[in-house]
Amino acid sequence: MIESGYLRSLAGSLAIWLGLFLAVTWTIDPYGVSPIRIALPGINVLKPKRLDIDRVLKPYEVWRYQPRTIFLGTSRFQQAIDPSVLDGTRFAPAYNASIPKGSVAMNADYLRQYVRLDHNLRTVIVELFLNNFLGPPDAGAPSAWSEFIGNAVTLFASSDTLWASIATLAHNVVNGRPTFEIKPGGYLYYPPGHNPQGPFDGFVTWMWSPDRGEPDRPMLYPSVFESFREIIEIARAHDIELIFVATPNHAYVDYYYDVVGAWGLIEEWLVKLSRQATVYSFAQPNAWVYEPVDSRMAYWNDTFHFSLTMGRGMLAALARLPMPDLPGDFMERLTPERVASHIESRRGAVRLWAQANPAFVMRALERRKWLAGQAVRKPE
Amino acid sequence: MLFNSYVFIFVFLPIVLAGFALLRGASNPLWPITWLVLASLFYYAWWRPEFLLLLLSSVTVNFGLGKLIIDEDLSRAQSRAVLTAGIIFNLSLLGYFKYAGFFVANLNNVVGAHWAVPNIVLPIGISFITFQKIAFLVDAHRGLVRNFTLLNYAFFVTFFPQLIAGPITHHSEIMPQIGPSQRRDFAADVAVGLSIFVVGLFKKVVIADSLAVYADAGYAMVKAGHPLDTASAWVTVLCYSFQLYYDFSGYSDMAVGLARMFGFQLPLNFYSPYKAASIVDFWRRWHITLSRFLRDYLYIPLGGNRRMPVRRYLNLGIVMLLGGLWHGANWTFVIWGAVHGLMLAVNHAWNALPLSRLPVLQGAKARRIAILVTFVAVTLAWVPFRADTLSDAKTMLAYLLPTTVDSFDSIRLFLKVQFWDFKGFVMVTQWFRPRELWPPVLPPDYLATGVRPLGPFLLWVGIATFTMPNTYQIFGRFQPALGLPEAAMKSSVLTRLDRPIAVIVAAMFLLSVLRLSHVSPFLYYQF
């Protein structure tokens, strides 16, 4: 009834199935983590499943690649910073560990984790995004070893890996077109043909939307500054060079700041930050930052996310690499003393821009008025 | 420590099994049982060690009361008093941990008071253990329990395969197996037990957990106040119906398989309940050990079917209401129990009519219709069972009713997208299309889109449920559980465990283990 070698057959079959699983998933390598890196055109070169799994993937890749420089930030950094630009500089090898919707508290937790995982770490470049300081702090990131190991296991040995392998194979064989994916350096690749017009057209509606609380009354949250301070202390404790980067804002966003009277708040924000750390700004208005809206844009993926080209310029400026067509005032070292003039230049530039774009201004003001009307009608 | 966890499968179980294998050859036959009791206590303490004290105290008190009833020369009245004390003790523990918060919250509602609702952590398995211990004391009082030791009693209560979620074992099933279990063919028991465990693991992890995604999504939408189209509502409740069956029966299969590895047979707990042709039949196949307990220790003492029909239906109602409340301290469970009590009463009343015995209602076709009607009734009754509040349950039930033309459109769209528009490989690649979660937040009607192959999956699960043999019919020849119908043993699908079976079981095990961890895409709004 029970074959004498049944348990042995069971163990043997399990070993064979496991071997097959590893052969398939390591060869197709849907998440780009395989120990045997084989690039097979038409089979596994495109990795559509290497997307939206930054929190699982990036701590593992930081541990695996042991970069000298790490970028921490939100989806803005994630989409724009190709660290291979820094190859050959004092920052190399670098890795873009930015996480979409990464809060300041999360960045502090990730940094705490990365100093344990990456013994080669010398420089950390952190994105400063005003929105992260305008709301209550988000929860931090899980940084326990168990979380790290659990995530690494799921990348290698889970049914998702098998499913993603089939999906990767199907996409390479049937579709074959480049698609969104996280490239080996950790940045998000946008396939050619992307049209940013939609997000720009929808900006006004989104910005003054009833779902956004009180968009006309932005407010700094002091507790977020504690996480900022934490990042500085972690870096200091581990002798790590820390650079903060105030990222570009398109004219649409600067106009919003102007119309809601947020310049004082931005000034306070930048003074506080630059008093405590090294801050470089790329938010000065120039031809790149205020690029006219079109169906094809060189420097912007959408209203908030700047492109790889913009990111390349930022990295070139930071690493003092030659880049001929870079605007003259592209990068500015911010000190508490220079913040006021920085703000003044932005305010002046956006007002000039507004005069040149009356259609946008009219739409924005109408929408703002509509939202104010909604608020009045809302029962107490 | 769940059966479907890495630590259980790859650490705890191999160690306990190896220790048992070593000790069963020892001169003292108590050692392997002592080892299993210690392992079971460790297993229980894994989640919250402080509850181990509660378990040990409860075992000691019940053992003492049992001894008092059996060994001491008590009068009938004295024995009854000890039994009453035991029942009060056990129900008090259950009442405090499980129902205190519910009771205070409802009292606040009724009298308009503002007493603080206690937030008490429920010790795992307490509902199951309480029933076992009460049954033991009642049987001791009835003179049905002979001699027993503290070790045997502790083993009967704490044996880890059945400790947390049943099957609810009876002392008369477990205690007589303690001695013989060590003289059985260990390798054969491990082979059979492991195979059954893998089938249970597969049912739980691969089937139930896959369905859970869709069931949870639908109920979450109702909870969040989002509208649900008719097709999505039906998909949600069907997914939950199958999820619950594969989850619970899978867990029971794992328990049966685990016990078998140590030479023990546990009682049958599920026997293709969705193939039942009536509600009465359903309760003979679903959570059989609970039905048995409620019948023997509640329904029969209440008078059972020995009284007038009306009293019988009232008894059924009481039993099912309490059975509902046993599942959880929430009115949703009470309603679920009440609905089943009502359906059972109607079913019994129907059976009493001569009309029900008409030949036209006895054929295979009529049986198929009866199975479908029973399944739909049970599925609808799961709505209050799953919903967080009665209001959510009402909302979900309302979404199920096709009240407008749009309702039928959503069903038509679901069938069109998932089945009629199926274009072979092109469709398959659509399931695998990149950025399937982009936009990252799925639209409310996503259940009725082609984003996931949900329709074919649900169809496959339905076909498997209604046409395939169950675990016990597959392994019938190997006497997998106590109380298995004779026919199941004789018509066993498997007649031997050999290499081809090993290949299939190994594949199921690997797939299940791979499902234990997930790569969860990060869902976020691009801002």
Side-chain angles (χ1 to χ4, degrees), chain B residues 49 124 142 193 239 395 498 520:
Chain B
I124 47 170
R142 288 173 180 169
C239 281
T395 309
D498 51 15
S520 304

Side-chain angles (χ1 to χ4, degrees), chain A residues 33-263:
Chain A
V33 294
S34 167
I36 50 156
R37 302 193 135 211
I38 311 172
L40 301 169
I43 301 289
N44 71 351
V45 173
L46 305 170
K47 299 197 184 296
K49 288 290 174 183
R50 212 179 126 89
L51 182 73
D52 294 345
I53 54 169
D54 302 68
R55 295 195 214 202
V56 179
L57 185 69
K58 290 189 168 171
Y60 169 76
E61 292 202 331
V62 165
W63 172 77
R64 180 169 173 182
Y65 297 132
Q66 298 286 302
R68 190 179 174 83
T69 302
I70 281 177
F71 291 87
L72 290 176
T74 68
S75 53
R76 289 151 56 93
F77 251 26
Q78 184 223 27
Q79 293 187 16
I81 301 298
D82 171 5
S84 66
V85 173
L86 297 174
D87 286 354
T89 71
R90 72 178 179 92
F91 297 108
Y95 182 81
N96 185 345
S98 303
I99 306 280
K101 215 178 175 188
S103 65
V104 184
M106 274 170 66
N107 284 335
D109 286 340
Y110 276 120
L111 181 56
R112 196 174 291 114
Q113 188 177 21
Y114 293 154
V115 294
R116 291 200 311 253
L117 293 173
D118 180 5
H119 299 296
N120 201 23
L121 189 60
R122 296 289 173 275
T123 306
V124 173
I125 301 175
V126 185
E127 176 195 350
L128 290 175
F129 183 33
L130 180 62
N131 281 24
N132 275 352
F133 290 78
L134 295 182
D138 284 339
S143 56
W145 279 106
S146 56
E147 181 83 11
F148 172 75
I149 293 167
N151 284 340
V153 167
T154 56
L155 287 172
F156 285 97
S158 68
S159 55
D160 294 289
T161 316
L162 188 60
W163 189 250
S165 297
I166 298 168
T168 302
L169 185 65
H171 182 76
N172 278 273
V173 171
V174 179
N175 188 314
R177 283 197 298 274
T179 181
F180 290 84
E181 64 178 274
I182 299 293
K183 287 290 181 186
Y187 66 91
L188 176 69
Y189 168 76
Y190 258 75
H194 171 68
N195 181 355
Q197 187 90 44
F200 277 96
D201 288 348
F203 174 80
V204 163
T205 313
W206 181 84
M207 206 69 202
W208 280 283
S209 144
D211 300 336
R212 290 195 63 247
E214 295 189 78
D216 278 359
R217 287 186 213 160
M219 191 176 86
L220 290 173
Y221 275 72
S223 50
V224 185
F225 289 91
E226 287 165 24
S227 300
F228 173 76
R229 186 78 221 147
E230 218 176 310
I231 291 175
I232 295 172
E233 277 158 18
I234 297 166
R236 194 168 290 158
H238 292 86
D239 200 20
I240 288 169
E241 178 192 18
L242 192 58
I243 299 168
F244 287 94
V245 171
T247 43
N249 293 299
H250 192 266
Y252 276 36
V253 178
D254 270 358
Y255 174 78
Y256 160 75
Y257 293 146
D258 190 48
V259 86
V260 301
W263 292 117

Side-chain angles (χ1 to χ4, degrees), chain B residues 488-507:
Chain B
M489 286 192 252
K490 283 191 179 147
S491 60
S492 174
V493 174
L494 294 181
T495 50
R496 50 189 284 121
L497 293 181
D498 51 15
R499 195 170 295 166
I501 301 301
V503 172
I504 295 168
V505 171

